[in-house]
Amino acid sequence: MRTLVLNAGYEPLAVISFRRALILVLNHKATVIASDPEHPVVGVREDVAFDRPSVIVLSRYVRIPQSRLVPVSRRGVLRRDANRCAYCDRHATTIDHVMPKSRGGQDSWENLVACCLACNNIKGDRTPHEMGWTLRFRPKAPHGTAWIVRGVERPQPDWDEYLVAA
Ligand SMILES: [Zn+2]
């Protein structure tokens, strides 16, 4: 069970564990605006049970660089690239470092692409240029608040009204 965090202006910011959310609330850094009373949280503070926060809003506006909003992940790269290989457009199940890691390539949105097993095996520690391959697109960090939530296994129904603009 996770909690949707809204920035002070009510724009979706992140999805965190309800336990972390509750700590923000107890420290007066956020306010609960939707909760699930049927699944109370116990053990956060002595014998008190709290309604499980489903949506919280931060008390103070937090400015976060766009690039840090969406942490890079294997699953995220595959999703961004719609599970198509960046080199041959076939179904991709792996990710590839465009500039190989062994040669200083970073774990970044700009250096990771979805890749099919065949291309990944052939490419090895070489660059697309050395292979004579071209990327079908220029890899970029995804943006937009929808991405914050899209990676979550089970977005909660009571998040919907806060995600309309996403
Ligand atoms: Zn391929």
Side-chain angles (χ1 to χ4, degrees):
M1 290 285 240
R2 315 277 281 170
T3 301
L4 176 66
V5 183
L6 305 179
N7 211 340
Y10 282 76
E11 58 273 40
L13 197 63
V15 175
I16 63 176
S17 74
F18 61 80
R19 216 159 263 279
R20 265 185 71 198
L22 206 50
I23 288 163
L24 287 173
V25 172
L26 292 173
N27 290 326
H28 308 289
K29 293 194 168 130
T31 311
V32 178
I33 52 174
S35 60
D36 177 4
E38 282 171 38
H39 300 94
V41 188
V42 288
V44 175
R45 192 174 278 182
E46 271 109 56
D47 297 329
V48 192
F50 298 93
D51 288 353
R52 189 181 299 249
S54 178
V55 184
I56 62 170
V57 59
L58 295 179
S59 315
R60 290 178 59 187
Y61 195 85
V62 175
R63 192 165 282 281
I64 292 180
Q66 195 69 43
S67 57
R68 285 189 52 211
L69 274 180
V70 187
V72 66
S73 66
R74 180 181 177 280
R75 199 164 61 151
V77 169
L78 287 171
R79 194 181 315 122
R80 179 197 63 189
D81 300 348
N83 287 88
R84 314 300 306 180
C85 177
Y87 304 111
C88 75
D89 202 23
R90 269 181 293 222
H91 184 68
T93 53
T94 65
I95 58 170
D96 177 58
H97 288 82
V98 177
M99 172 58 74
K101 224 175 164 172
S102 59
R103 296 166 61 177
Q106 302 288 307
D107 286 320
S108 65
W109 286 108
E110 292 77 15
N111 193 48
L112 289 169
V113 290
C115 189
C116 73
L117 220 46
C119 287
N120 214 336
N121 285 335
I122 300 166
K123 182 171 171 285
D125 276 349
R126 281 166 292 189
T127 66
H129 181 74
E130 288 164 353
M131 298 297 295
W133 292 355
T134 42
L135 283 166
R136 295 188 298 109
F137 54 89
R138 191 189 170 88
K140 281 186 287 195
H143 47 81
T145 48
W147 265 85
I148 296 168
V149 177
R150 215 172 284 161
V152 178
E153 314 266 316
R154 262 169 275 138
Q156 260 118 277
D158 55 359
W159 292 359
D160 285 353
E161 60 178 300
Y162 303 102
L163 298 174
V164 173

